[in-house]
Structure formats: structure tokens, C-alpha cells
Amino acid sequence: MTINMLEPWDENIALQKERQLCAGDVQTIKTSCIKDHATKHPIECPDCWTRLLNRIRDRYLNSASKEWFSGRRPFLLELDTMFSKAHTFEVDFKTIEQRIFDEKKEWYRDKVKNLGLQHAAKSPSEERILQQRINDRSITADQLASELREAFSDGAVQNQEAFNGFIERLKLAQSSQARNDAYIDIFFQPNHDPSGAARSQKYIDMVRNGMPITDAISTMIRDRHSAKGDQEQKQALHEKLEELKRAKAAHELDKARRDKARQDKARAAAPAHGLHDLPPCLVCSKIPDIQDFIICPLCQILGAYYGLRIKPAIFCSRDCEGQRYESHVNATHECASGERCVRLHDEDVEMDDGGSVLVFCRECTETLRIPSTFCSSRCFNENFQRHRDNVHLPERKSAQREINDETQLEFDPADETRYQARKIEEHLVTFDDAMTEWQRKTGAIVK
């Protein structure tokens, strides 16, 4: 009989370290983003937002150590999809946290079943009842934990305290001898039961000489069986092992509950600093509901699709959108033609075929990283030379980028210094096309 008891303790310690490392890295990203990029939160900075999401994603999908979620492939695939959607604010962190918490409760149920805690019941009838309850998926994990605690109520608090102290000793142990002393104290309790420890001196010496505790316990059980020794000693040993199993299961569930409670408290106390928070409403400065807010579609496309550094305009309601949206567009997304915009000189421009469709300059948005927006393809076409001479050519020179696009130009035979685009469609992307492509790539649905 082999009882694998060593690995779970080391695994528990490793999990605590991984959680602390991830939390530290996330805080470092937030602090550096606020300091170096003059933002209130990484959600306003596409690069830092991506780094932050990827760090938390790596905590679960690229963990270097064995953790509770290791091997739960369907859950990890679902989590990967949720993190991808978080990049475009389709899924918020509260939803992701709840999904992780729910999965951990299911893991707890599986762990209870695999540990065989039902075998430690006080009677065969209680064992059968617990086995049925563990197999019944309609019973919640919280209810199952409550029933387990009730079934194993004798000394439950004391056992959990002993388990916590045992874990702390292993974390602080600097040598194998220190770890062995911790195992001796928890399994044989020489200070609390000197006579019992004296009868187990042979096995205590085995542990002190380097034998793994699981092997020593297995040897003890085999000796008892072969010698048909004292039944009370065998039962006491068995009870100690089962008590530790129960304490470990209770510890895992309590830890998950405390983590969830801390997260809820942090969100309630400091909503402006949560990972899932949005910038305040542009009109009333109210913090929008992460599940129900309105974002300027031009800001969304320029920021999420083209990856430009655009501070998104967020509205908490339709009323606020109606008050400020038009002025926001006029101020932030003004036609790049400026005073030469055809709308200022031609009152009938919106009556033209397709004349009111917004377009982006392809070279500016895709290469130069400039959010150049025009009120229409006609406006872009009529102001193409001025835009190319004043924006494209200086930016190319500054970046030492050579682009030979003269074959796309049509020069005036009477004055070769004047030209226009041979096909203006080659130099633009319509807002509708950009929105459609963004939806196709991300799976987002725009209402």
C-alpha cells in the first residue's frame, strides 16, 4: 500500500508562490504604465493592457509547475478564449474570475472523490451516504463541504490549524532535516504523545535517516499487518492520516473562499483601480457599468483594430452619448482635410453617392500610425496631394522609409508638380470595411 502524501504539500506551497509572483508582476505593469505613459490605468494603453492580460493568461495557460488546473484542458481552452475577448472588452475580469472560481469548486469535488474521504466516515452507513453525496453533481460544492465538515466535526478546527502550521514549517524549512522534523511532529507527535512516539521510534529513525515519509508510513502499515499487532495503534495511525486529508480538503476550499472574498472587497472599496474598470463617462464622469456602456466606434476601430494610441470616449448611457458624442467626433475625429473639407464648401456633398461614408487613410493608419480620418472618399480624393505632401512625405523622411508610389499617381500634363491619386480606393479604407474586418477577426458583435 502506497500513500502519496508528500507531493500535495509541496504543490500547495508552489501555488502560493505562483500567485504572489503573478500579483507582483501585474502591480509592476500597472505602476510602470501609470508612471511612464501618463495613464490612470493600463486599460487606456493598448501595449500595457496587452502585457497585463498576457501575464495573467500565462499564470494559467503557461504555468511551469503542476497546479490545480493542470490537465483540465476544456477549462483552459475556454479560459484562453475569454482572455482573447478581454483584449477588446467583450469579457470583463469579474466574469473571468467567477469562471475560475467555479472551476476550482468542481476541482474540489473531484479532489474529495479522489482522496477517498468517504472512507474516513465514522460508520459504514455514513460512508455509503457520503459516497452518494460526492457523486451527486446537483449538490453544490459549498453544500458538499458543509456536509463533510459535519461528518468529520470532531476536532475539525484543530486539525485545520495543525495543517496550516505544518505548511508554514515546510515553507520555512532550509534543509531536508528540517522537513523531516516537521513530518515527525505532525505524524508521530512526540511532544503530545511520548509513549506513542516511543513505540514508533523505528519509523521515526527511518524518517530522520532520509526515508520519505510516505515510505515510512507504508512500512509501518505493512509491519502492523504482518505482525497482527495492536489494532488501536493501526486505527490511531489511520485516523491521523485521514484527519490530515480532511484538513487539506477544508484548507483548499477555505483558501478559495478567502481569495474570492478579498477580490470582492477590493472591487467594492476601490472600483477605480480594478483590472476590469473603464475610464469615466465623458459627460457625467460616472464610472460606467462594464456590462452596459457605449464607446465611440471611431475610437474603438482606431484603438482596437489599428492599435493606435487613442483614448476611447466612453458613455454610461444613451442620454450622455446624445449630449457629447457629436462634439466629441468633431473635436477628436475632425476631417483631416481641415479647412479644405468639401463639406465646408459644398452643401450638397452628402447627397452624392457614397459621399458621406467615413474613410481612413491607409498609409497613415497602417504604416505611419496616424489616425487620419476623412469625411468621405471624395474629400480625401480632392485633398490627396496636400495630405500626401504635408503628412506622408515628411513622416517617411523622418522615419527614413522609402516608398515608391509614383505609379499610383496621375500627374497633370500641364503642370507636373500637380497630381492626384490614380485610384483613390487604393489609398483608403472605409469605416464600414474596417468595422466588418474587426468583427470578423475578433468575433465581436456591434449593436
Side-chain angles (χ1 to χ4, degrees):
M1 177 180 180
T2 300
I3 304 176
N4 186 10
M5 297 290 287
L6 176 60
E7 184 179 351
W9 320 132
D10 293 331
E11 179 184 339
N12 185 280
I13 295 170
L15 294 186
Q16 295 180 15
K17 291 181 179 178
E18 288 293 330
R19 280 193 289 263
Q20 292 171 358
L21 285 173
C22 183
D25 291 344
V26 167
Q27 186 59 47
T28 298
I29 293 172
K30 292 173 64 177
T31 302
S32 64
C33 182
I34 294 171
K35 178 182 178 182
D36 300 335
H37 301 157
T39 62
K40 293 182 179 179
H41 190 276
I43 198 172
E44 302 174 9
C45 176
D47 291 340
C48 292
W49 182 238
T50 297
R51 288 176 55 211
L52 187 146
L53 285 174
N54 287 342
R55 178 61 185 92
I56 301 176
R57 176 187 177 278
D58 287 344
R59 164 76 182 91
Y60 294 95
L61 275 80
N62 295 317
S63 176
S65 59
K66 181 182 177 183
E67 304 195 40
W68 67 265
F69 46 81
S70 299
R72 301 179 79 85
R73 183 171 177 77
F75 164 66
L76 293 177
L77 289 175
E78 181 182 350
L79 203 60
D80 190 22
T81 299
M82 295 180 76
F83 274 112
S84 297
K85 290 185 177 181
H87 281 276
T88 54
F89 311 113
E90 296 175 66
V91 174
D92 62 277
F93 269 91
K94 185 176 182 180
T95 301
I96 295 177
E97 290 170 353
Q98 186 61 49
R99 180 65 188 89
I100 293 172
F101 183 70
D102 291 343
E103 185 69 15
K104 192 163 187 179
K105 290 196 293 185
E106 284 304 304
W107 166 85
Y108 167 76
R109 181 190 298 276
D110 294 337
K111 196 72 171 179
V112 167
K113 187 174 182 179
N114 293 336
L115 285 173
L117 293 186
Q118 68 277 11
H119 301 310
K122 300 173 185 176
S123 66
S125 61
E126 286 188 4
E127 178 179 343
R128 287 192 298 271
I129 293 173
L130 284 179
Q131 181 67 60
Q132 293 173 357
R133 305 297 279 174
I134 291 171
N135 292 333
D136 188 353
R137 290 281 169 174
S138 66
I139 300 175
T140 66
D142 289 346
Q143 183 180 349
L144 178 60
S146 177
E147 293 182 12
L148 286 172
R149 285 179 180 277
E150 189 173 338
F152 307 137
S153 58
D154 294 342
V157 175
Q158 181 178 357
N159 291 337
Q160 184 170 340
E161 291 174 352
F163 173 81
N164 292 338
F166 172 55
I167 286 293
E168 284 301 312
R169 286 190 65 179
L170 290 185
K171 288 169 62 176
L172 298 175
Q174 300 295 318
S175 65
S176 58
Q177 187 58 51
R179 291 173 63 88
N180 291 339
D181 289 341
Y183 283 122
I184 291 170
D185 287 345
I186 196 69
F187 279 96
F188 302 102
Q189 301 185 6
N191 295 329
H192 299 286
D193 185 13
S195 60
R199 291 192 297 270
S200 302
Q201 189 61 46
K202 168 185 174 181
Y203 310 104
I204 292 175
D205 291 340
M206 289 179 179
V207 175
R208 285 205 172 113
N209 292 331
M211 176 180 286
I213 183 64
T214 53
D215 293 346
I217 295 297
S218 297
T219 300
M220 181 185 294
I221 294 174
R222 285 196 302 270
D223 289 349
R224 294 291 185 267
H225 278 294
S226 61
K228 296 182 180 180
D230 191 339
Q231 291 297 318
E232 290 184 358
Q233 290 187 19
K234 286 203 302 183
Q235 184 60 32
L237 175 62
H238 177 74
E239 288 176 356
K240 287 179 182 178
L241 291 173
E242 296 305 327
E243 285 169 2
L244 284 172
K245 288 181 181 179
R246 295 195 295 269
K248 182 179 185 296
H251 173 82
E252 287 289 345
L253 185 61
D254 286 345
K255 182 65 172 64
R257 285 174 171 170
R258 288 196 298 272
D259 288 346
K260 184 68 166 56
R262 279 197 297 270
Q263 293 163 2
D264 291 343
K265 183 178 179 181
R267 280 194 293 270
H273 299 288
L275 294 177
H276 57 280
D277 291 333
L278 296 168
C281 174
L282 193 63
V283 178
C284 65
S285 299
K286 175 184 175 182
I287 301 299
D289 183 349
I290 190 68
Q291 301 287 358
D292 185 19
F293 66 93
I294 302 166
I295 185 171
C296 167
L298 280 168
C299 291
Q300 181 76 354
I301 290 300
L302 290 170
Y305 180 64
Y306 286 111
L308 305 182
R309 292 186 179 276
I310 298 293
K311 183 178 180 180
I314 303 292
F315 304 95
C316 66
S317 66
R318 289 293 179 188
D319 289 340
C320 286
E321 179 194 26
Q323 294 181 45
R324 188 70 66 82
Y325 176 72
E326 187 174 348
S327 61
H328 160 73
V329 171
N330 291 336
T332 305
H333 307 296
E334 180 185 12
C335 179
S337 296
E339 296 180 355
R340 296 176 180 269
C341 177
V342 296
R343 291 186 302 174
L344 301 179
H345 307 289
D346 187 348
E347 296 180 356
D348 296 327
V349 65
E350 293 187 355
M351 301 301 293
D352 293 346
D353 184 20
S356 61
V357 177
L358 292 172
V359 299
F360 302 117
C361 171
R362 186 184 298 276
E363 182 172 345
C364 283
T365 52
E366 295 181 358
T367 305
L368 303 179
R369 319 301 294 164
I370 299 173
S372 297
T373 308
F374 292 85
C375 65
S376 64
S377 58
R378 174 185 166 187
C379 188
F380 186 23
N381 189 42
E382 293 190 10
N383 291 281
F384 178 77
Q385 178 173 357
R386 179 172 176 271
H387 178 71
R388 180 176 179 272
D389 291 346
N390 293 339
V391 179
H392 294 184
L393 298 184
E395 289 293 330
R396 292 177 190 175
K397 183 178 180 181
S398 175
Q400 297 182 343
R401 180 183 293 112
E402 293 185 5
I403 298 179
N404 185 6
D405 60 351
E406 292 190 1
T407 58
Q408 297 178 300
L409 307 178
E410 189 175 275
F411 290 89
D412 187 344
D415 183 358
E416 293 189 354
T417 63
R418 296 174 59 81
Y419 60 86
Q420 62 182 15
R422 190 177 297 276
K423 291 182 179 180
I424 193 62
E425 293 79 9
E426 297 178 350
H427 301 274
L428 62 81
V429 178
T430 68
F431 170 76
D432 292 344
D433 287 345
M435 177 66 76
T436 300
E437 180 64 12
W438 175 69
Q439 289 180 268
R440 185 189 68 79
K441 288 185 175 181
T442 63
I445 298 176
V446 178
K447 297 181 180 180

